Amino acid sequence: MKLYGYFRSSTSYRLRIALELKGLGYENVPVNLLTSEQKGETFTSRNPFGSVPMLEADGRDRAQSMALLEWLDEAYPDKPLMPRDIEARYTVRELTYAIATELHAPLNLPVLKYIKNEYGQPQDAIDTWYRHWLARTLEPVEARLAQLDTGDFLLDAPGLFETVLLPQVYNARRFKYDIDAHEHIAQIETACLALPAFQRAHPENQPDNPENSA
C-alpha cells in the first residue's frame, strides 16, 4: 500500500493512525499541499477530488478519509477500529462524525486560504474563526464523554474515535485552543500519544516534515 498525504493534514494523519493501529505496512508518499501539488494534473488524473489522503491499494486509488477508514476496517478486520456491539458502535459514530463532519469542512486549508485571500482577513482573525468552530463541537463532545465517564479511551482501546480525534486535537493546539480545559479529551490525547502507533503516525515524525530535513 502507498499512502499519499501531507504530514500536517488531519485527514492524512487519520489514515496513518489507522494503518499503524492495524499493523499494516505502507509506503508514505508526501504530497505538498503548500505548493498545491494535489491539484496538479498528475495527481487529479488519479484522484479527481484533488485532496489527500489517497491510498493506493489492491490495484485501486482510493480517496476520502472516512470512506477509507471504513474500507480498511472491512478489508482488514483484524484489530478492528469499530466495536461489535451495536450500541457501542453508535457511540463511536456519534462522537466521530461530530468531529469529521462539523469541524473538518470549516477548518481545512482551502477554507482558511479563501478567508485570507478573498476577504483579506489577517491571521489573528483566522485563528479566532478556527477556535470558534472548535469550541462549537469540542465542548459538546467533552460533555458527552463526561456523561459516559470515559477513561483513557472512549471504549477499552483506541479505535475510530481516537483515530479522528487526535489529528483535530493536534491542530487545535497549533491554533492555541485550550484543549486542557476539556478534561476527558485531554486524558484521551495523553493516553494515545503514549502508544507507539500514535507516535509513529504523529506529524512530527513524518519524512516530509521540514523539521526532519537534514
Side-chain angles (χ1 to χ4, degrees):
M1 282 189 282
K2 292 184 179 181
L3 176 62
Y4 294 77
Y6 180 65
F7 78 102
R8 199 178 273 169
S9 155
S10 61
T11 49
S12 301
Y13 191 1
R14 292 173 188 172
L15 264 292
R16 293 196 302 267
I17 293 171
L19 289 164
E20 294 289 352
L21 285 175
K22 285 183 166 291
L24 297 172
Y26 65 98
E27 178 184 347
N28 196 329
V29 183
V31 178
N32 193 335
L33 301 191
L34 299 184
T35 61
S36 298
E37 184 179 355
Q38 80 282 8
K39 298 297 183 182
E41 184 177 352
T42 299
F43 195 82
T44 56
S45 65
R46 299 176 60 184
N47 174 11
F49 294 101
S51 63
V52 295
M54 180 177 76
L55 187 69
E56 180 184 331
D58 295 348
R60 180 175 175 180
D61 295 327
R62 305 172 190 271
Q64 298 297 336
S65 67
M66 297 308 295
L68 277 165
L69 292 172
E70 290 188 32
W71 177 81
L72 278 176
D73 226 22
E74 293 170 359
Y76 300 91
D78 289 345
K79 302 178 182 178
L81 299 174
M82 288 284 282
R84 297 177 69 95
D85 177 75
I86 188 171
E87 290 303 321
R89 290 171 76 89
Y90 174 79
T91 298
V92 170
R93 287 189 176 109
E94 179 187 64
L95 293 170
T96 299
Y97 281 94
I99 294 169
T101 63
E102 294 179 12
L103 288 181
H104 181 67
L107 302 184
N108 68 8
L109 185 59
V111 171
L112 301 183
K113 283 184 174 180
Y114 190 84
I115 294 171
K116 182 176 183 178
N117 297 333
E118 298 298 322
Y119 292 98
Q121 294 299 311
Q123 191 61 46
D124 285 350
I126 294 172
D127 292 352
T128 298
W129 162 280
Y130 204 103
R131 290 189 291 267
H132 168 79
W133 293 110
L134 284 171
R136 281 281 300 268
T137 295
L138 292 184
E139 287 176 3
V141 166
E142 172 66 21
R144 179 65 89 201
L145 293 172
Q147 290 176 345
L148 296 167
D149 193 24
T150 57
D152 285 349
F153 310 112
L154 176 57
L155 301 175
D156 295 333
L160 186 68
F161 173 65
E162 289 79 8
T163 296
V164 173
L165 175 68
L166 264 287
Q168 194 60 68
V169 169
Y170 169 77
N171 283 342
R173 290 196 180 279
R174 284 182 54 228
F175 281 82
K176 297 181 170 50
Y177 180 84
D178 187 10
I179 283 291
D180 295 324
H182 301 316
E183 177 183 353
H184 295 80
I185 291 175
Q187 181 177 349
I188 291 171
E189 177 198 26
T190 298
C192 287
L193 292 180
L195 300 176
F198 284 86
Q199 293 167 6
R200 290 191 294 268
H202 198 279
E204 290 180 359
N205 298 322
Q206 301 315 302
D208 55 327
N209 185 335
E211 295 182 2
N212 294 330
S213 60

